[in-house]
Amino acid sequence: MLARVDAAERRRDHDDGRGRLRVYMGMAPGVGKTFSMLQEGHRRAERGTDLVVGFVESHNRPRTEELVEGLEVIHRRRIEYRGVVVEEMDTNAVIERHPQVVLVDELAHTNAPGSPREKRWQDVEAILDAGIDVISTCNVQHLESHADAVATITGAPVNERLPDFVLAEADEVDLVDMSPGALRQRIRHGNVYPPDRSRVALDRFFTEANLTALREFSLRFVAERVDEQLEGIAGSQGREIAPTHDRVLVVLDERPAIARAVRRAAAIASALRVPLLGVIVETPAAAHRTFDHARDLQERVDDAVDLGVEVTTITAPDLVSGLVEVARKHGSTHVVLVQEERGAIGRIRRASTAEALLARLPNLEIHLVAASTGQGKAGRS
């Protein structure tokens, strides 16, 4: 948290002269992140951009080493640690050389003890603060928010981790994608690891199941980032856009049937594998809520949180207006409501909450849950 605050302050202080960060991200080693970074480096250099290589890890792959040729390389800093000489990026040399663009591989790398900074992403922050653009690489498993899940799935600990805010604040993130089958074929051909290591890699970390899960992580990360960017652009232009992927919203109040509505919403969100948001709409009528009603509402909220629902509260003149605002803000495509108990006259005099929502947001899918078990099963309108 402190690192993020510090980075944000530096961005404000260097808003005009700060460099731009572009990151090539992949699901696993061997998909071609470094290769893509070097190819971009050559394209920029051919266009006349003053570009240098700050640090590239070729892993002794011949095609990668060939791509380094022809680019200016900043000499690495040599650090002795426990009797072994380790080479790290010489960040000060990069800043003194002050090119327009620098290539820095493996953003999540941990520097050798004795280095000016603990992590390579911190070196990159210093370079960006100096007004130099950086092109870098990372794998999805190194993201702090994904590392524990990846370790559980693959059975391999993730020791080098990258704070999520580093990628969140990057100017561009490019996904280098490859099917699990294609990556496994590359490994079999010896294009990723030497032949003696390839079989072990295929049997342990690079299994079809592990790579499929890692690919899903990387695709989801990029999809969510693109969705946030699209919402930001539309918001800055005062425009509305149709949601690009599903999200589920459930209305929370003190009624007992809300518990069933939450379970229904959780089932929908689980089936679609999308986020679930619970919303409490505070209307003028809510100001007269009794102690018992407040207690019952808290019980519904606690039950929702136990099911993994993210709960938000909004103040609005009426229920429909509040739901419309939240649905638009979060791009909700599914809304789960408890059906209103209305007599014949009530149905004639005014539209139901579901009907009013559909009138204002016709693309919504509304799921109705019976107010009492005697009214039958949950339905959908």
Side-chain angles (χ1 to χ4, degrees), residues 57-295:
E57 182 55 75
S58 68
H59 297 287
N60 297 318
R61 296 168 188 162
R63 294 186 63 193
T64 302
E65 291 177 345
E66 289 173 7
L67 272 179
V68 177
E69 296 178 6
L71 298 175
E72 180 184 345
V73 180
I74 300 296
H75 290 296
R76 299 179 180 183
R77 188 176 185 207
R78 297 168 64 85
I79 300 172
E80 184 174 345
Y81 177 64
R82 294 184 177 177
V84 178
V85 176
V86 180
E87 292 187 339
E88 299 288 1
M89 179 172 65
D90 192 335
T91 305
N92 291 338
V94 171
I95 294 174
E96 289 175 7
R97 168 64 176 76
H98 210 280
Q100 290 175 282
V101 181
V102 59
L103 308 183
V104 181
D105 211 1
E106 298 184 352
L107 193 57
H109 171 77
T110 301
N111 293 326
S115 300
R117 300 168 190 86
E118 179 185 2
K119 305 289 289 187
R120 185 166 292 160
W121 67 263
Q122 294 171 326
D123 291 329
V124 166
E125 289 287 330
I127 294 172
L128 292 170
D129 284 343
I132 303 169
D133 292 347
V134 176
I135 305 174
S136 189
T137 66
C138 77
N139 290 321
V140 69
Q141 72 260 29
H142 295 302
L143 281 175
E144 188 69 48
S145 60
H146 291 68
D148 290 337
V150 170
T152 300
I153 291 170
T154 64
V158 181
N159 297 320
E160 293 188 332
R161 303 192 177 198
L162 180 70
D164 284 47
F165 78 83
V166 177
L167 282 195
E169 295 175 353
D171 297 279
E172 296 179 69
V173 177
D174 287 273
L175 177 64
V176 181
D177 189 33
M178 179 177 288
S179 70
L183 179 54
R184 284 173 58 82
Q185 193 67 14
R186 287 198 66 199
I187 296 172
R188 289 191 192 97
H189 291 163
N191 295 329
V192 179
Y193 297 111
D196 59 326
R197 292 181 56 196
S198 295
R199 175 48 54 191
V200 175
L202 287 169
D203 291 342
R204 294 183 180 178
F205 185 85
F206 291 86
T207 66
E208 191 86 19
N210 286 352
L211 293 178
T212 300
L214 290 171
R215 190 186 192 197
E216 181 180 356
F217 281 143
S218 61
L219 290 171
R220 278 177 175 267
F221 175 85
V222 174
E224 290 171 2
R225 178 181 171 87
V226 171
D227 190 57
E228 290 172 359
Q229 290 175 334
L230 184 58
E231 290 177 357
I233 293 170
S236 65
Q237 296 176 351
R239 299 168 53 193
E240 288 186 17
I241 57 170
T244 55
H245 59 268
D246 291 324
R247 289 189 176 111
V248 179
L249 184 153
V250 60
V251 179
L252 300 179
D253 58 39
E254 68 276 3
R255 290 175 292 173
I258 291 296
R260 294 201 310 280
V262 170
R263 291 195 295 271
R264 173 65 174 159
I268 295 170
S270 177
L272 296 174
R273 304 180 74 177
V274 297
L276 173 57
L277 180 68
V279 58
I280 302 169
V281 180
E282 294 285 3
T283 65
H288 305 291
R289 184 181 289 135
T290 66
F291 174 81
D292 288 342
H293 284 172
R295 180 199 58 203

